[in-house]
Amino acid sequence: MIHRMVMSVLAAIGIASGTAAQGVTISGSSSAQFVELRPLVLDSATVAATDSISPILRRAATGALTNCAATDAYCYFYRSMPRNGLVAMMQDLDVTAWGFGQGLSFHGQLRARTAAGSGRQLWPQADQSFDALSAYLQLERPGFDVRAGRQWVTSGLGVFNFDGGALDVRPFGWWDVNVYGGRSLVQGLDRPLGAAALSPVEDLPPPDNAYLVGAILQLRDLTAGSLRLQYQREIESNRSALYSERMAADATLLLGRATLAGEMTRDFATGAFNDLALSLGAMVVPQVHARIEARHYAPFFDLWTIWGAFAPVGYNEGTLATDWSSANEATLISLTGGWRQYDQTHTGFESLPLRSNGWRVGTLARQRLSSVFSLEGDYNVDLGFGASSTDGDLAIRWAPSSRGSLGIRGMAFQNLNEFTVGAGHVLGAGFEGSLLLRPDLRLAGDALVYRHVGDDAAQIADWNQRRLSLRLEWSLGAEPGLSRTLGRAGVP
Amino acid sequence: MKAQSRSRAIVMLALLALATTGAMLHHDAPTFPHSKHAKLFPTCASCHSGVITGDAARVYPTQAVCASCHNGSVVKSVSWRVPTPPVTNLKFSHELHASASAEAGNPATCASCHGTGGDTTWMHVSRAEPARCLGCHLASGHLAAGNACATCHVPLTQARGLSDSVVAHFPKPPSHAAGDFISRHAPGNGADLASCATCHARESCARCHANAQQRPEIAQLASDARIARLVAGKPGVYPTPATHSRANWKLTHGTDARSSIGSCANCHTQKSCTTCHTGTLAASVIRGLPASGTGMATGVQLYTARGSAGGPSVESASPPQPPPAVPPPSPQDTADPHRVMVHEAGFLASHKHTAASGALNCQGCHETRECTSCHSGTAPARSYHPADFVSRHGTEAFRQNATCNSCHRTETFCRSCHQSSGMASSDKARGTAHASQPLWLLQHGQAARQGLTGCTTCHQQRDCLRCHSTVGQNVNPHGDGFNASTTSQRNKQVCFACHVTDPMKK
């Protein structure tokens, strides 16, 4: 892994320097994170060792709810395994090199990662030790850009990565046409979307790899608004079938101090509108911004899965958000609320209803107490189908200068899961801080402790844990004529 | 008694000496008793011929001229020294004034300016009083707006005799105290610049102007060590221009920057921009600003506050400074930071639409990698999720508001974690994930239709096919909204996951 990583970086730098590049910028983030988790494991108890609490459920001596089959001598339940600790290490490198020719530049985003410890298998994609998230050449010319290599397209349909090419043409000042295509990749991984990547977690993976093709038309006028239309399809590599065929339309209309926005995504395979939303945002009075939105949402599933055939329903939701900030923006208070109602499922029993609506409210407040201290807190309640939660966070931050800060954070939250593994409340506390050692070098870290108290009868999940993370962010080189600074992405 | 009288006399003499010395130090009138000599000299030029001719050596008489009478025999001897020229930044030409007044038909005499208090008695004279100058030159007063300072004053850099303290306490014109003075103080022409140069040097401007070296009007000003000492370590003063209060200024200032980056450069260095503009799209514009450097003004200092769900904010601040040795030249000096929220509260969570519609030019401030480093979904996005999100993500996941799958692929992220942590009960007939729902089998249909994405974070397709397939229990999962035709037209293979024969041929 390290070998591949080093070789890739050296290759990137070598390309830049060996071909008389004018310069290279490299920014990196080295992080190490200690996490504790307690996986669940299936356990059993004899029927005789359990007490009946319903025709189906029995309770074990530990208090855990168990499932018992009439013909079986055992009842089954899940319990938490001993605490597993892991240290996840990650090295991100972002490389930009230019000067190979007029407007020609190279962009690469490389990630090496590994995990150590008894729970290393719990870290997502722990066996994927190296990712080349992007690596492409870009030619920028007045009126058009061309990209070739591993790249991403971000759009109303989502975020997709692929190996291929993209052409971005700007025939007029406010027109932009982008066509792209290439081999589909698994989102966030540098592996093709196919059986090899998905078979470990899916018995019926896509039969073949896929190609992604699409086009985006954007019209943008700073004074009037913007419109972006997108069509995209994912084609099985043998071209016998589609994995998806979708379109998106997003528009913004500027109406004085108000903004009217709409979005739509449509899945041609199921004929469903996955997103239909209309929102109006405005500065209703000085320092008070409000936004109201009406939305219909229905989930989208790739056509290589059977999930779309299950006719999933969507929900209609109305949300209202408003925030007030003082004239000097030392105080900010934000309120949000929403109500959603699911479409009729035409299934189930009236005598055994599940919740078919939900609501949520939340508030966020920030107060700059002085030139160096600030206070921030939020509280949210989300009551819905499947799960509900109540959570609150409070943090105070000391930032004596722009070079660094130190904060103390406390939190409490309660999860109420309607039909999943457990419910309980968690209390947490810790600190976080960052220090700019040099304009191009920053150290950031945090340490947090959580105490989980199970509220449910099952008592099968234990979220007691400690967490610690450290990150070192740095940059080398600068664009010609520009001073070197760390990007904002690394702010803790 | 005698001793007492002597002591009293000594005290009186001492006091008299002090008073005399003090009076002499503050006495503006010529020490030469002109009035006593009124009968001797018929013209001023007898002693001050240089005033008329411009010969500096003959502006005052010499000791020898006095000694022609004060030789000790005719009259008692006297001591006479030519007065030291006063330390001032005033400039005056007797010759020009004489010729100008003559041309105007009202020839000025010496007494016009030097007559004591308007007394025209011969040789009742004193130093010219500034009020008399202003009487002709400045009807509106000494420091009135519009006055050309250079009419009477030499540039500061030429008034070398003035001390730091004198310079620091130059009177401040009332116009400089106006709230918007700094925003409109640029000299409009050479005459304005000459007025500025009366009190200011290049260092005065360079204290605030990051582009001092590029501005020709600043380059024309000479450097002055006294000003350099006075402004050393003092922060620049950067009032907020009216344009910056415009609606959506934070998001639309690029248009102004492109059209007049030179104006921005008065207050901003590249660092002001690169605090937010980490992308390269605006780089060509930003290059029009001066880079930060030692010995130059810092420019408006911005720094990002902590990024959180409320979106990034920037703060401008003058760095804390020690108390100035001299009174600050402007009341706008402040060390209070000014926070500017770039995006509204909650923008991080709701930015999808803004980005998707192109309403904002994201690349103006953000590198593409900022999107992918978060949306790649395999790195901990610590600035996005609240602390311990692994414990509390269930509610948001069940709400399936489409934001999860913008970063995380259900199969490779959610399900792989749920499987490795034991949450997923795939292939386990007696899974207890739904343990608290004893009649779950009868309820799962509604749950699946309402939250199918949540189901797929644990369940594989085969889990459902056990019942919902023609080779299983043949339970039809298709609901009212299922359009078999459009689906099969695009991918018939998916039909055969459940159906042994082509269902569209029935």
Side-chain angles (χ1 to χ4, degrees), chain A residues 40 78 109 125 202-203 220 228 242 245 269 297 302 309 345 366 382 397 415 419-420 446 480-481 488, chain B residues 270 287 306 308 356 358 366 372 382 391 399-400 409 412 415 421 432-434 449 460 478 486 490:
Chain A
L40 299 180
Y78 279 78
Q109 192 175 10
Q125 301 295 318
E202 175 56 60
D203 286 343
R220 184 166 184 258
R228 185 182 279 184
L242 297 180
E245 183 181 18
Y297 170 76
D302 287 317
T345 61
R366 289 190 197 130
D382 192 333
R397 178 172 298 275
N415 286 337
F419 38 72
T420 184
D446 56 63
R488 196 182 48 261
Chain B
Q270 292 179 1
R287 285 191 192 98
R306 181 177 183 267
S308 65
H366 302 280
T372 55
R382 305 183 64 81
S391 300
R399 197 183 333 135
Q400 51 175 10
R409 178 129 203 144
T412 55
R415 194 185 300 166
S421 64
T432 57
H434 307 289
R449 288 252 166 88
Q460 301 186 49
H478 303 319
T486 57
R490 287 166 176 79

Side-chain angles (χ1 to χ4, degrees), chain A residues 243-438:
Chain A
Y243 285 172
S244 67
E245 183 181 18
R246 306 168 73 192
M247 72 160 293
D250 294 85
T252 300
L253 186 62
L254 301 178
L255 304 168
R257 299 182 75 84
T259 302
L260 183 66
E263 65 176 300
M264 180 271 285
T265 62
R266 181 170 172 79
D267 177 11
F268 290 111
T270 61
F273 287 101
N274 302 116
D275 275 298
L276 274 176
L278 191 65
S279 68
L280 179 67
M283 191 72 77
V284 289
V285 294
Q287 310 303 132
V288 177
H289 183 271
R291 180 171 175 270
I292 187 169
E293 181 183 66
R295 176 184 184 227
H296 170 79
Y297 170 76
F300 161 79
F301 295 99
D302 287 317
L303 266 179
W304 63 263
T305 70
I306 62 172
W307 306 123
F310 284 69
V313 301
Y315 60 77
N316 299 308
E317 185 177 45
T319 57
L320 176 66
T322 182
D323 57 77
W324 168 84
S325 59
S326 59
N328 62 359
E329 303 202 31
T331 306
L332 169 74
I333 297 175
S334 175
L335 298 169
T336 58
W339 168 269
R340 61 188 180 278
Q341 176 68 51
Y342 288 86
D343 294 338
Q344 179 58 249
T345 61
H346 303 290
T347 185
F349 294 87
E350 288 188 4
S351 58
L352 295 170
L354 291 176
R355 190 181 188 92
S356 61
N357 57 31
W359 56 268
R360 60 192 166 97
V361 293
T363 182
L364 166 76
R366 289 190 197 130
Q367 175 67 49
R368 185 150 44 83
L369 302 172
S370 69
S371 59
V372 295
F373 281 102
S374 61
L375 187 67
E376 177 176 320
D378 64 64
Y379 181 74
N380 300 282
V381 177
D382 192 333
L383 188 62
F385 154 75
S388 302
S389 66
T390 305
D391 61 59
D393 290 70
L394 186 67
I396 186 166
R397 178 172 298 275
W398 173 62
S401 76
S402 58
R403 288 190 57 213
S405 67
L406 185 64
I408 300 175
R409 177 173 292 275
M411 73 213 70
F413 57 90
Q414 182 179 32
N415 286 337
L416 300 170
N417 297 313
E418 191 173 358
F419 38 72
T420 184
V421 293
H425 63 269
V426 175
L427 304 174
F431 66 86
E432 55 200 11
S434 71
L435 178 63
L436 195 66
L437 303 171
R438 291 187 340 201

Side-chain angles (χ1 to χ4, degrees), chain A residues 329 488, chain B residues 250 272 275-276 302-305 312-316 338-342:
Chain A
E329 303 202 31
R488 196 182 48 261
Chain B
K250 290 163 286 188
S272 297
T275 303
C276 287
L302 302 173
Y303 59 90
T304 51
S313 65
V314 293
E315 294 179 350
S316 63
H338 176 64
R339 173 173 286 196
V340 180
M341 293 294 293
V342 178

Side-chain angles (χ1 to χ4, degrees), chain A residues 56 97 126 134 177 180 192 228 252 327-328 378 419 443 455 467 475 490:
Chain A
I56 297 176
S134 65
V177 180
Y180 56 91
R228 185 182 279 184
T252 300
N328 62 359
D378 64 64
F419 38 72
L443 180 66
D455 296 336
R467 293 191 172 200
S475 69

